[in-house]
Amino acid sequence: MLRGITRCGGTILPRNKASDVSNVHEARTALGGRLRELREQAGLTGKQLAEPLSWQTSKVSKIENGKQTPSAGDIEAWTKATNSEDQKVALIASLRTLEVQHAEWQRILRGGIRPRQNSLAELDQKTRLFRVFESTVIPGLLQTAEYARARFVESIRIFKVPNDINEAVEGRIKRQDIFYRPDKRFHFILTEAALRFRMCALPVMLGQLDRLVSVSVLPNVKLGIIGFETQYAASPWHGFWIYDEEKVLVETYSAALNLAQPQEVELYSNVFSELAAAASYGRSARAIITRVMDDLADHLPEE
C-alpha cells in the first residue's frame, strides 16, 4: 500500500481528502469552467466582465476556479454580460444540483432542528434498507432521548440556530417507530470509540449503551461493533448513511453532503462491506458493549 492512499474494491481513495468533499469541489469547478468558457467566447477578460457588474476581478477568478460558488443572480448577470442568456436555465439547474449535494447546516437549520428531523423521517419512510456506519457517535435512530438532547445542545451552540430542542428530541425518538416496520431492514456498524467517547454525562452514556444492547436483538436489526483490537481493511475516516441503493448522506462540520451518483453509492457500499467484514455481531458485539459499560461504570462517582 502506498503511503497516503487506501485501496478499496479497486478504487484509490485519497487519505487526506474525503471523496465526498472532492466530488462537491469537482462539481463547483465544472460550473466555474463552463462560466469561463462563456466569458472567453464573448472575448472578455476577467476585468472587463467584472467592472460593469461592480464586482472585484478576484470574484470572477474565484468562481471560474471553483473557489467560490456563484449565486443564481451571479449566473444571471454573467450570462447577460456574455450574451449567453440561452445558457442561464441550464447553469442555474447545475447550481441547484450543487446546492442540494452540499447543503450547509446554517441553511438547513435556520428554522430550527425539528424540521431537519421531519425531513429525515420522510426519507426513512421511503427507504427499505439502511446501512449506517459511525466512528464517533451513536446514530440518531439508535439514540436515547437523553443522548439525543446532548447532541442537539451541541448543534444549537455551534450553529447558533433557534432552540427547539424539546421538539427536536421528540422528532428523533418518533422516527424510531420505524424499527417496528417488518418491511424495513437496518445494518449498523459502530466503532468501539463511538461507545467510549464522552459525548454526554456518564449515566446518560450508560443508558445509551444499554439501549444498543436492547436494539441489537430486534429481528430486522443487525448491529456490528468493531473493537479496538480489530485490524481494519478500510479506514474509518467518517460516518455515512446509505439509503437503499439510491443515495449516501455524509455529515461534516459545515454541511450535509447528499451523494447520489451511482459510482458514489457503489464506492460507499464497497467501503461498508469491508467495515462490516471487520465487525463483531450478536453475542460478541454485546460483549464489547458490556465491557465498555463496565469500564465506564468504574468512573461513576461513589454515592
Side-chain angles (χ1 to χ4, degrees), residues 18-47:
S19 60
D20 43 282
V21 176
S22 176
N23 287 329
V24 171
H25 175 69
E26 289 170 5
R28 187 186 294 116
T29 300
L31 177 58
R34 180 58 183 143
L35 291 171
R36 179 191 297 109
E37 290 175 2
L38 296 179
R39 175 181 60 76
E40 292 175 345
Q41 289 170 7
L44 299 175
T45 66
K47 183 177 181 181

PDB file of all heavy atoms in Angstrom, residues 18-47:
ATOM      1  N   ALA A  18     -11.500  13.442   1.671  1.00  0.00           N
ATOM      2  CA  ALA A  18     -12.610  12.504   1.524  1.00  0.00           C
ATOM      3  C   ALA A  18     -13.226  12.649   0.147  1.00  0.00           C
ATOM      4  O   ALA A  18     -13.331  13.733  -0.410  1.00  0.00           O
ATOM      5  CB  ALA A  18     -13.666  12.756   2.607  1.00  0.00           C
ATOM      6  N   SER A  19     -13.672  11.511  -0.432  1.00  0.00           N
ATOM      7  CA  SER A  19     -14.189  11.530  -1.791  1.00  0.00           C
ATOM      8  C   SER A  19     -15.422  12.387  -1.927  1.00  0.00           C
ATOM      9  O   SER A  19     -15.662  12.991  -2.970  1.00  0.00           O
ATOM     10  CB  SER A  19     -14.498  10.097  -2.225  1.00  0.00           C
ATOM     11  OG  SER A  19     -15.463   9.508  -1.383  1.00  0.00           O
ATOM     12  N   ASP A  20     -16.253  12.465  -0.874  1.00  0.00           N
ATOM     13  CA  ASP A  20     -17.475  13.264  -0.954  1.00  0.00           C
ATOM     14  C   ASP A  20     -17.156  14.750  -1.109  1.00  0.00           C
ATOM     15  O   ASP A  20     -17.774  15.455  -1.911  1.00  0.00           O
ATOM     16  CB  ASP A  20     -18.337  13.050   0.293  1.00  0.00           C
ATOM     17  CG  ASP A  20     -17.527  13.054   1.561  1.00  0.00           C
ATOM     18  OD1 ASP A  20     -16.890  12.035   1.834  1.00  0.00           O
ATOM     19  OD2 ASP A  20     -17.542  14.075   2.262  1.00  0.00           O
ATOM     20  N   VAL A  21     -16.188  15.232  -0.356  1.00  0.00           N
ATOM     21  CA  VAL A  21     -15.784  16.634  -0.464  1.00  0.00           C
ATOM     22  C   VAL A  21     -15.184  16.896  -1.840  1.00  0.00           C
ATOM     23  O   VAL A  21     -15.426  17.925  -2.466  1.00  0.00           O
ATOM     24  CB  VAL A  21     -14.773  16.985   0.644  1.00  0.00           C
ATOM     25  CG1 VAL A  21     -14.276  18.409   0.483  1.00  0.00           C
ATOM     26  CG2 VAL A  21     -15.423  16.815   2.027  1.00  0.00           C
ATOM     27  N   SER A  22     -14.399  15.927  -2.337  1.00  0.00           N
ATOM     28  CA  SER A  22     -13.789  16.064  -3.650  1.00  0.00           C
ATOM     29  C   SER A  22     -14.855  16.186  -4.730  1.00  0.00           C
ATOM     30  O   SER A  22     -14.734  16.989  -5.652  1.00  0.00           O
ATOM     31  CB  SER A  22     -12.890  14.855  -3.929  1.00  0.00           C
ATOM     32  OG  SER A  22     -12.352  14.918  -5.228  1.00  0.00           O
ATOM     33  N   ASN A  23     -15.919  15.390  -4.632  1.00  0.00           N
ATOM     34  CA  ASN A  23     -16.962  15.437  -5.651  1.00  0.00           C
ATOM     35  C   ASN A  23     -17.673  16.775  -5.666  1.00  0.00           C
ATOM     36  O   ASN A  23     -18.023  17.291  -6.724  1.00  0.00           O
ATOM     37  CB  ASN A  23     -17.971  14.307  -5.411  1.00  0.00           C
ATOM     38  CG  ASN A  23     -17.397  12.953  -5.783  1.00  0.00           C
ATOM     39  OD1 ASN A  23     -16.580  12.838  -6.675  1.00  0.00           O
ATOM     40  ND2 ASN A  23     -17.829  11.932  -5.083  1.00  0.00           N
ATOM     41  N   VAL A  24     -17.920  17.349  -4.502  1.00  0.00           N
ATOM     42  CA  VAL A  24     -18.535  18.670  -4.442  1.00  0.00           C
ATOM     43  C   VAL A  24     -17.617  19.698  -5.088  1.00  0.00           C
ATOM     44  O   VAL A  24     -18.064  20.560  -5.856  1.00  0.00           O
ATOM     45  CB  VAL A  24     -18.847  19.054  -2.979  1.00  0.00           C
ATOM     46  CG1 VAL A  24     -19.270  20.515  -2.887  1.00  0.00           C
ATOM     47  CG2 VAL A  24     -19.942  18.158  -2.426  1.00  0.00           C
ATOM     48  N   HIS A  25     -16.333  19.616  -4.798  1.00  0.00           N
ATOM     49  CA  HIS A  25     -15.379  20.551  -5.387  1.00  0.00           C
ATOM     50  C   HIS A  25     -15.342  20.399  -6.907  1.00  0.00           C
ATOM     51  O   HIS A  25     -15.288  21.388  -7.646  1.00  0.00           O
ATOM     52  CB  HIS A  25     -13.989  20.324  -4.811  1.00  0.00           C
ATOM     53  CG  HIS A  25     -12.917  21.162  -5.437  1.00  0.00           C
ATOM     54  ND1 HIS A  25     -12.852  22.526  -5.261  1.00  0.00           N
ATOM     55  CD2 HIS A  25     -11.895  20.836  -6.276  1.00  0.00           C
ATOM     56  CE1 HIS A  25     -11.833  23.008  -5.947  1.00  0.00           C
ATOM     57  NE2 HIS A  25     -11.240  22.001  -6.572  1.00  0.00           N
ATOM     58  N   GLU A  26     -15.382  19.145  -7.375  1.00  0.00           N
ATOM     59  CA  GLU A  26     -15.367  18.910  -8.815  1.00  0.00           C
ATOM     60  C   GLU A  26     -16.598  19.514  -9.485  1.00  0.00           C
ATOM     61  O   GLU A  26     -16.501  20.084 -10.584  1.00  0.00           O
ATOM     62  CB  GLU A  26     -15.297  17.414  -9.091  1.00  0.00           C
ATOM     63  CG  GLU A  26     -13.941  16.798  -8.757  1.00  0.00           C
ATOM     64  CD  GLU A  26     -13.972  15.289  -8.819  1.00  0.00           C
ATOM     65  OE1 GLU A  26     -15.019  14.730  -9.222  1.00  0.00           O
ATOM     66  OE2 GLU A  26     -12.956  14.667  -8.469  1.00  0.00           O
ATOM     67  N   ALA A  27     -17.769  19.404  -8.845  1.00  0.00           N
ATOM     68  CA  ALA A  27     -18.989  19.971  -9.419  1.00  0.00           C
ATOM     69  C   ALA A  27     -18.897  21.491  -9.479  1.00  0.00           C
ATOM     70  O   ALA A  27     -19.300  22.114 -10.475  1.00  0.00           O
ATOM     71  CB  ALA A  27     -20.200  19.540  -8.589  1.00  0.00           C
ATOM     72  N   ARG A  28     -18.354  22.101  -8.424  1.00  0.00           N
ATOM     73  CA  ARG A  28     -18.202  23.556  -8.402  1.00  0.00           C
ATOM     74  C   ARG A  28     -17.186  23.999  -9.453  1.00  0.00           C
ATOM     75  O   ARG A  28     -17.384  25.009 -10.143  1.00  0.00           O
ATOM     76  CB  ARG A  28     -17.763  24.008  -7.013  1.00  0.00           C
ATOM     77  CG  ARG A  28     -17.737  25.526  -6.848  1.00  0.00           C
ATOM     78  CD  ARG A  28     -17.157  25.938  -5.514  1.00  0.00           C
ATOM     79  NE  ARG A  28     -18.006  25.511  -4.413  1.00  0.00           N
ATOM     80  CZ  ARG A  28     -17.637  24.640  -3.482  1.00  0.00           C
ATOM     81  NH1 ARG A  28     -16.451  24.068  -3.537  1.00  0.00           N
ATOM     82  NH2 ARG A  28     -18.460  24.310  -2.505  1.00  0.00           N
ATOM     83  N   THR A  29     -16.107  23.227  -9.605  1.00  0.00           N
ATOM     84  CA  THR A  29     -15.085  23.558 -10.595  1.00  0.00           C
ATOM     85  C   THR A  29     -15.640  23.434 -12.012  1.00  0.00           C
ATOM     86  O   THR A  29     -15.327  24.256 -12.895  1.00  0.00           O
ATOM     87  CB  THR A  29     -13.863  22.638 -10.428  1.00  0.00           C
ATOM     88  OG1 THR A  29     -13.330  22.819  -9.105  1.00  0.00           O
ATOM     89  CG2 THR A  29     -12.786  22.957 -11.442  1.00  0.00           C
ATOM     90  N   ALA A  30     -16.461  22.411 -12.238  1.00  0.00           N
ATOM     91  CA  ALA A  30     -17.054  22.233 -13.574  1.00  0.00           C
ATOM     92  C   ALA A  30     -17.970  23.401 -13.925  1.00  0.00           C
ATOM     93  O   ALA A  30     -17.969  23.891 -15.066  1.00  0.00           O
ATOM     94  CB  ALA A  30     -17.830  20.918 -13.616  1.00  0.00           C
ATOM     95  N   LEU A  31     -18.740  23.862 -12.953  1.00  0.00           N
ATOM     96  CA  LEU A  31     -19.613  25.009 -13.191  1.00  0.00           C
ATOM     97  C   LEU A  31     -18.779  26.251 -13.488  1.00  0.00           C
ATOM     98  O   LEU A  31     -19.079  27.008 -14.424  1.00  0.00           O
ATOM     99  CB  LEU A  31     -20.508  25.241 -11.965  1.00  0.00           C
ATOM    100  CG  LEU A  31     -21.445  26.450 -12.012  1.00  0.00           C
ATOM    101  CD1 LEU A  31     -22.388  26.378 -13.208  1.00  0.00           C
ATOM    102  CD2 LEU A  31     -22.250  26.553 -10.703  1.00  0.00           C
ATOM    103  N   GLY A  32     -17.714  26.457 -12.710  1.00  0.00           N
ATOM    104  CA  GLY A  32     -16.832  27.603 -12.955  1.00  0.00           C
ATOM    105  C   GLY A  32     -16.164  27.526 -14.311  1.00  0.00           C
ATOM    106  O   GLY A  32     -16.013  28.555 -15.004  1.00  0.00           O
ATOM    107  N   GLY A  33     -15.787  26.311 -14.722  1.00  0.00           N
ATOM    108  CA  GLY A  33     -15.159  26.148 -16.023  1.00  0.00           C
ATOM    109  C   GLY A  33     -16.097  26.503 -17.165  1.00  0.00           C
ATOM    110  O   GLY A  33     -15.680  27.104 -18.174  1.00  0.00           O
ATOM    111  N   ARG A  34     -17.375  26.139 -17.024  1.00  0.00           N
ATOM    112  CA  ARG A  34     -18.346  26.487 -18.057  1.00  0.00           C
ATOM    113  C   ARG A  34     -18.542  27.997 -18.128  1.00  0.00           C
ATOM    114  O   ARG A  34     -18.639  28.572 -19.228  1.00  0.00           O
ATOM    115  CB  ARG A  34     -19.684  25.794 -17.762  1.00  0.00           C
ATOM    116  CG  ARG A  34     -20.787  26.093 -18.775  1.00  0.00           C
ATOM    117  CD  ARG A  34     -20.377  25.705 -20.181  1.00  0.00           C
ATOM    118  NE  ARG A  34     -21.402  26.053 -21.148  1.00  0.00           N
ATOM    119  CZ  ARG A  34     -21.160  26.493 -22.369  1.00  0.00           C
ATOM    120  NH1 ARG A  34     -19.906  26.639 -22.783  1.00  0.00           N
ATOM    121  NH2 ARG A  34     -22.146  26.783 -23.189  1.00  0.00           N
ATOM    122  N   LEU A  35     -18.570  28.667 -16.989  1.00  0.00           N
ATOM    123  CA  LEU A  35     -18.709  30.123 -16.985  1.00  0.00           C
ATOM    124  C   LEU A  35     -17.476  30.794 -17.609  1.00  0.00           C
ATOM    125  O   LEU A  35     -17.600  31.813 -18.298  1.00  0.00           O
ATOM    126  CB  LEU A  35     -18.925  30.623 -15.548  1.00  0.00           C
ATOM    127  CG  LEU A  35     -20.270  30.239 -14.922  1.00  0.00           C
ATOM    128  CD1 LEU A  35     -20.294  30.578 -13.447  1.00  0.00           C
ATOM    129  CD2 LEU A  35     -21.429  30.918 -15.646  1.00  0.00           C
ATOM    130  N   ARG A  36     -16.291  30.215 -17.374  1.00  0.00           N
ATOM    131  CA  ARG A  36     -15.088  30.752 -18.003  1.00  0.00           C
ATOM    132  C   ARG A  36     -15.201  30.656 -19.529  1.00  0.00           C
ATOM    133  O   ARG A  36     -14.819  31.594 -20.251  1.00  0.00           O
ATOM    134  CB  ARG A  36     -13.850  29.997 -17.533  1.00  0.00           C
ATOM    135  CG  ARG A  36     -12.559  30.522 -18.188  1.00  0.00           C
ATOM    136  CD  ARG A  36     -11.364  29.630 -17.951  1.00  0.00           C
ATOM    137  NE  ARG A  36     -11.018  29.546 -16.551  1.00  0.00           N
ATOM    138  CZ  ARG A  36     -11.191  28.472 -15.788  1.00  0.00           C
ATOM    139  NH1 ARG A  36     -11.719  27.381 -16.323  1.00  0.00           N
ATOM    140  NH2 ARG A  36     -10.852  28.469 -14.521  1.00  0.00           N
ATOM    141  N   GLU A  37     -15.707  29.511 -20.029  1.00  0.00           N
ATOM    142  CA  GLU A  37     -15.870  29.340 -21.466  1.00  0.00           C
ATOM    143  C   GLU A  37     -16.766  30.424 -22.062  1.00  0.00           C
ATOM    144  O   GLU A  37     -16.471  30.983 -23.131  1.00  0.00           O
ATOM    145  CB  GLU A  37     -16.460  27.965 -21.764  1.00  0.00           C
ATOM    146  CG  GLU A  37     -15.514  26.805 -21.495  1.00  0.00           C
ATOM    147  CD  GLU A  37     -16.196  25.465 -21.698  1.00  0.00           C
ATOM    148  OE1 GLU A  37     -17.392  25.459 -22.078  1.00  0.00           O
ATOM    149  OE2 GLU A  37     -15.544  24.432 -21.484  1.00  0.00           O
ATOM    150  N   LEU A  38     -17.845  30.740 -21.356  1.00  0.00           N
ATOM    151  CA  LEU A  38     -18.763  31.770 -21.858  1.00  0.00           C
ATOM    152  C   LEU A  38     -18.080  33.132 -21.899  1.00  0.00           C
ATOM    153  O   LEU A  38     -18.284  33.907 -22.837  1.00  0.00           O
ATOM    154  CB  LEU A  38     -20.017  31.821 -20.986  1.00  0.00           C
ATOM    155  CG  LEU A  38     -20.893  30.561 -20.979  1.00  0.00           C
ATOM    156  CD1 LEU A  38     -22.091  30.751 -20.051  1.00  0.00           C
ATOM    157  CD2 LEU A  38     -21.354  30.201 -22.385  1.00  0.00           C
ATOM    158  N   ARG A  39     -17.272  33.422 -20.869  1.00  0.00           N
ATOM    159  CA  ARG A  39     -16.547  34.701 -20.861  1.00  0.00           C
ATOM    160  C   ARG A  39     -15.563  34.777 -22.017  1.00  0.00           C
ATOM    161  O   ARG A  39     -15.482  35.790 -22.729  1.00  0.00           O
ATOM    162  CB  ARG A  39     -15.813  34.873 -19.522  1.00  0.00           C
ATOM    163  CG  ARG A  39     -14.921  36.136 -19.496  1.00  0.00           C
ATOM    164  CD  ARG A  39     -14.177  36.282 -18.189  1.00  0.00           C
ATOM    165  NE  ARG A  39     -13.300  35.182 -17.875  1.00  0.00           N
ATOM    166  CZ  ARG A  39     -12.105  34.987 -18.451  1.00  0.00           C
ATOM    167  NH1 ARG A  39     -11.675  35.815 -19.398  1.00  0.00           N
ATOM    168  NH2 ARG A  39     -11.347  33.963 -18.077  1.00  0.00           N
ATOM    169  N   GLU A  40     -14.819  33.680 -22.219  1.00  0.00           N
ATOM    170  CA  GLU A  40     -13.815  33.675 -23.283  1.00  0.00           C
ATOM    171  C   GLU A  40     -14.459  33.738 -24.667  1.00  0.00           C
ATOM    172  O   GLU A  40     -13.952  34.405 -25.571  1.00  0.00           O
ATOM    173  CB  GLU A  40     -12.946  32.426 -23.149  1.00  0.00           C
ATOM    174  CG  GLU A  40     -12.055  32.446 -21.900  1.00  0.00           C
ATOM    175  CD  GLU A  40     -11.281  31.165 -21.706  1.00  0.00           C
ATOM    176  OE1 GLU A  40     -11.632  30.144 -22.360  1.00  0.00           O
ATOM    177  OE2 GLU A  40     -10.329  31.164 -20.891  1.00  0.00           O
ATOM    178  N   GLN A  41     -15.597  33.056 -24.815  1.00  0.00           N
ATOM    179  CA  GLN A  41     -16.301  33.109 -26.094  1.00  0.00           C
ATOM    180  C   GLN A  41     -16.804  34.518 -26.399  1.00  0.00           C
ATOM    181  O   GLN A  41     -16.911  34.916 -27.570  1.00  0.00           O
ATOM    182  CB  GLN A  41     -17.467  32.123 -26.095  1.00  0.00           C
ATOM    183  CG  GLN A  41     -17.035  30.659 -26.151  1.00  0.00           C
ATOM    184  CD  GLN A  41     -18.183  29.700 -25.903  1.00  0.00           C
ATOM    185  OE1 GLN A  41     -19.346  30.115 -25.804  1.00  0.00           O
ATOM    186  NE2 GLN A  41     -17.875  28.414 -25.809  1.00  0.00           N
ATOM    187  N   ALA A  42     -17.085  35.282 -25.357  1.00  0.00           N
ATOM    188  CA  ALA A  42     -17.533  36.666 -25.534  1.00  0.00           C
ATOM    189  C   ALA A  42     -16.362  37.610 -25.736  1.00  0.00           C
ATOM    190  O   ALA A  42     -16.560  38.816 -25.971  1.00  0.00           O
ATOM    191  CB  ALA A  42     -18.360  37.097 -24.321  1.00  0.00           C
ATOM    192  N   GLY A  43     -15.131  37.114 -25.651  1.00  0.00           N
ATOM    193  CA  GLY A  43     -13.950  37.935 -25.854  1.00  0.00           C
ATOM    194  C   GLY A  43     -13.674  38.897 -24.723  1.00  0.00           C
ATOM    195  O   GLY A  43     -13.077  39.962 -24.940  1.00  0.00           O
ATOM    196  N   LEU A  44     -14.074  38.533 -23.505  1.00  0.00           N
ATOM    197  CA  LEU A  44     -13.899  39.415 -22.345  1.00  0.00           C
ATOM    198  C   LEU A  44     -12.806  38.891 -21.427  1.00  0.00           C
ATOM    199  O   LEU A  44     -12.671  37.679 -21.224  1.00  0.00           O
ATOM    200  CB  LEU A  44     -15.205  39.519 -21.546  1.00  0.00           C
ATOM    201  CG  LEU A  44     -16.432  40.102 -22.266  1.00  0.00           C
ATOM    202  CD1 LEU A  44     -17.657  40.003 -21.370  1.00  0.00           C
ATOM    203  CD2 LEU A  44     -16.178  41.545 -22.672  1.00  0.00           C
ATOM    204  N   THR A  45     -12.047  39.802 -20.860  1.00  0.00           N
ATOM    205  CA  THR A  45     -11.137  39.448 -19.780  1.00  0.00           C
ATOM    206  C   THR A  45     -11.938  39.410 -18.486  1.00  0.00           C
ATOM    207  O   THR A  45     -13.092  39.876 -18.426  1.00  0.00           O
ATOM    208  CB  THR A  45     -10.006  40.471 -19.648  1.00  0.00           C
ATOM    209  OG1 THR A  45     -10.573  41.730 -19.233  1.00  0.00           O
ATOM    210  CG2 THR A  45      -9.259  40.637 -20.955  1.00  0.00           C
ATOM    211  N   GLY A  46     -11.319  38.884 -17.447  1.00  0.00           N
ATOM    212  CA  GLY A  46     -11.997  38.880 -16.158  1.00  0.00           C
ATOM    213  C   GLY A  46     -12.320  40.287 -15.692  1.00  0.00           C
ATOM    214  O   GLY A  46     -13.396  40.547 -15.148  1.00  0.00           O
ATOM    215  N   LYS A  47     -11.405  41.201 -15.911  1.00  0.00           N
ATOM    216  CA  LYS A  47     -11.619  42.588 -15.506  1.00  0.00           C
ATOM    217  C   LYS A  47     -12.747  43.225 -16.298  1.00  0.00           C
ATOM    218  O   LYS A  47     -13.594  43.949 -15.741  1.00  0.00           O
ATOM    219  CB  LYS A  47     -10.330  43.371 -15.689  1.00  0.00           C
ATOM    220  CG  LYS A  47     -10.420  44.825 -15.235  1.00  0.00           C
ATOM    221  CD  LYS A  47      -9.075  45.528 -15.389  1.00  0.00           C
ATOM    222  CE  LYS A  47      -9.169  46.977 -14.911  1.00  0.00           C
ATOM    223  NZ  LYS A  47      -7.860  47.690 -15.077  1.00  0.00           N
TER     224      LYS A  47
END
